[in-house]
Amino acid sequence: MANLVYKRVSTDQQSTSRQNLVLDEAGIEDPVVFEEDPGTSSRLHPLQRPKFRELLTYARPGDTVHISEMFRLVRGTGHILDVLDVLHRDQVALRIHDGAFSAMDLTARHPRTGELLSTVKFMVQTLAAAGELQRDLQRELTYDGLRAAEAKGSKGGRRPAVAAEKTDDVRTAYLEGRSITALARDHGVSRDAIRTAVADLMPDHNAISQEDTPAPELPVTLDMPGKVADFLRASDLEPAERAALDQGVTVRRGQGYSLRITAVPGVHRQLLARCQPLDGGQGVPTVPAQRKARREYENRVTGLGVPD
């Protein structure tokens, strides 16, 4: 039976020194260490993290997973329950060496029903409530900070890719014959950023007749299951996709939630494509609850119809 040690830090400015101290004091025999790359976000589902997936592939029945504290592995209720289900399925134990959960076996099940013990459920729900409170307080403080900045004349949001003081230079150079590619290279921005800065100067700007312009898509509102939203928030998204998530409205549903998103159908389809890994396969462990959540969102997006 192997002792599998899992380590993770949330930013590349942090170190695992405290985790190392706790785990060294635990006296784990012959540890097999799996350490995520620095900066692996806690928002990324544990079952999607590269090193934890590698750990699960390596694990055999009877092995034990060791972590210094619960938050190195999971933060929300859904993540905890998903991990416990997989560990129970694979007959792998979980040992936490510091914090409120250090004296509990979170993989303990009722001997007859096979369900999580009621005390374990209670502790998991308490942890989720504390984590939710912490996130809500952070959002409130962020909002208050933005309001204070606006009152002083500062404007939030994404800065333009081409700095305002450089826009006139870019436009003048474009009119003098400088190519978009060369301007992008000169200013260290994307070609799309240059096109945006000179859009009204481009030859085809006024050449497209209104009859030839397709009707714009109108925004529609769909409820995205929370498990899908959690996965996408930790993914690399386009600006329009990220904005749709950031502007979504949380709708509580029992212990879970949905994110009510208003966006054009094209953005919904892009978000659906992004969460394809939740279906499992290609070396990614399948989590039934995640796969079900993605299918629910897929059904809603498919109901929008196929674009012309």
Side-chain angles (χ1 to χ4, degrees):
M1 295 184 291
N3 290 308
L4 314 179
V5 172
Y6 178 75
K7 303 178 185 178
R8 182 190 65 81
V9 291
S10 298
T11 70
D12 53 13
Q13 283 78 40
Q14 296 176 330
S15 73
T16 58
S17 57
R18 183 180 181 280
Q19 298 175 63
N20 295 338
L21 177 63
V22 172
L23 295 168
D24 288 345
E25 290 178 345
I28 302 170
E29 295 184 3
D30 301 322
V32 181
V33 179
F34 297 83
E35 182 174 340
E36 299 286 358
D37 289 339
T40 301
S41 173
S42 60
R43 294 183 298 175
L44 183 62
H45 197 294
L47 299 179
Q48 306 296 340
R49 297 177 196 154
K51 286 300 180 180
F52 192 67
R53 282 163 38 192
E54 184 179 329
L55 180 151
L56 292 175
T57 301
Y58 182 92
R60 295 294 181 267
D63 290 351
T64 300
V65 176
H66 298 265
I67 56 177
S68 61
E69 55 191 340
M70 172 63 78
F71 292 132
R72 296 302 172 186
L73 180 60
V74 292
R75 283 193 180 272
T77 306
H79 288 188
I80 298 172
L81 296 178
D82 289 342
V83 169
L84 294 181
D85 283 344
V86 170
L87 294 179
H88 175 68
R89 180 198 67 194
D90 296 344
Q91 302 178 46
V92 176
L94 173 63
R95 178 70 194 278
I96 302 165
H97 292 275
D98 195 21
F101 295 91
S102 58
M104 293 185 61
D105 179 8
L106 294 183
T107 56
R109 302 269 171 161
H110 193 282
R112 289 188 294 275
T113 66
E115 296 180 351
L116 279 175
L117 294 179
S118 57
T119 52
V120 174
K121 287 185 179 179
F122 173 77
M123 292 300 293
V124 166
Q125 291 165 353
T126 301
L127 171 66
E132 183 178 344
L133 174 62
Q134 180 187 30
R135 289 191 295 271
D136 288 345
L137 288 174
Q138 288 174 338
R139 291 193 192 99
E140 291 173 5
L141 292 172
T142 300
Y143 178 73
D144 290 342
L146 290 173
R147 290 288 300 275
E150 289 176 0
K152 294 180 179 179
S154 298
K155 184 178 180 181
R158 186 185 298 272
R159 295 182 178 180
V162 177
E165 62 270 18
K166 297 291 185 181
T167 301
D168 288 343
D169 293 341
V170 168
R171 292 167 65 84
T172 299
Y174 177 76
L175 289 174
E176 293 174 349
R178 192 75 169 156
S179 72
I180 287 178
T181 299
L183 286 169
R185 183 173 58 251
D186 293 345
H187 293 274
V189 298
S190 68
R191 286 175 292 181
D192 285 341
I194 299 296
R195 290 191 185 96
T196 299
V198 302
D200 60 318
L201 305 178
M202 298 178 70
D204 295 335
H205 177 69
N206 296 315
I208 303 175
S209 66
Q210 189 170 354
E211 293 78 7
D212 295 333
T213 303
E217 290 187 313
L218 297 177
V220 294
T221 301
L222 294 180
D223 283 357
M224 174 187 290
K227 292 184 182 297
V228 175
D230 289 342
F231 174 80
L232 290 174
R233 282 194 176 106
S235 303
D236 186 14
L237 303 179
E238 295 294 330
E241 300 165 356
R242 179 66 62 188
L245 283 181
D246 291 345
Q247 295 168 11
V249 178
T250 299
V251 180
R252 296 294 171 188
R253 303 186 184 280
Q255 295 182 2
Y257 78 97
S258 293
L259 192 65
R260 187 158 292 166
I261 295 177
T262 300
V264 297
V267 171
H268 282 294
R269 296 187 188 98
Q270 291 169 3
L271 291 172
L272 176 63
R274 298 279 189 189
C275 61
Q276 179 67 41
L278 296 182
D279 274 348
Q282 298 182 350
V284 179
T286 301
V287 180
Q290 286 186 316
R291 182 171 57 184
K292 179 181 177 182
R294 184 192 179 279
R295 297 287 170 80
E296 289 178 3
Y297 184 52
E298 181 178 31
N299 291 337
R300 293 165 189 166
V301 174
T302 303
L304 298 176
V306 180
D308 295 333

